[in-house]
Amino acid sequence: MGYEYFTTFWKDFDIAEVYGEPAIRDTAKRAFAEWKDDVKYLTELVMIINHKCWDFYRKGADKMSELYGDMYYEYYDKAIDYLEEKGNQDDISYFIRTLD
């Protein structure tokens, strides 16, 4: 893939997973609120949510895979809406290009 994570989001979700779905959702919500103005962090947050979905899918953990899959679409849409609202085409392009 050629992309290396630079945030702690993966580990943050690992910790939240110990406490269940509410903690996972809260982690995503807090991270989005904190980092939505930094397109690189925002992009990595959404990317990691997607990668968590696929990681659990490969492990056969359907419930967790479904949770992260639902969250991926939720946060992808939130991010696009927020970036469009800001009106910075370079940020939108970066987000879409990096996630593709």
Side-chain angles (χ1 to χ4, degrees), residues 42-56:
L42 177 60
T43 302
E44 186 157 303
L45 172 64
V46 176
M47 178 188 297
I48 287 174
I49 291 170
N50 186 36
H51 290 180
K52 282 286 199 174
C53 170
W54 285 105
D55 187 52
F56 280 109

Side-chain angles (χ1 to χ4, degrees), residues 32-43 77-95:
F32 183 85
E34 175 89 17
W35 295 108
K36 67 184 177 186
D37 289 317
D38 185 314
V39 70
K40 290 183 179 182
Y41 278 75
L42 177 60
T43 302
D77 289 346
K78 278 181 157 185
I80 288 290
D81 289 347
Y82 184 76
L83 293 171
E84 286 177 346
E85 193 176 290
K86 283 179 51 179
N88 185 328
Q89 190 58 47
D90 289 340
D91 284 355
I92 295 167
S93 295
Y94 174 85
F95 180 83

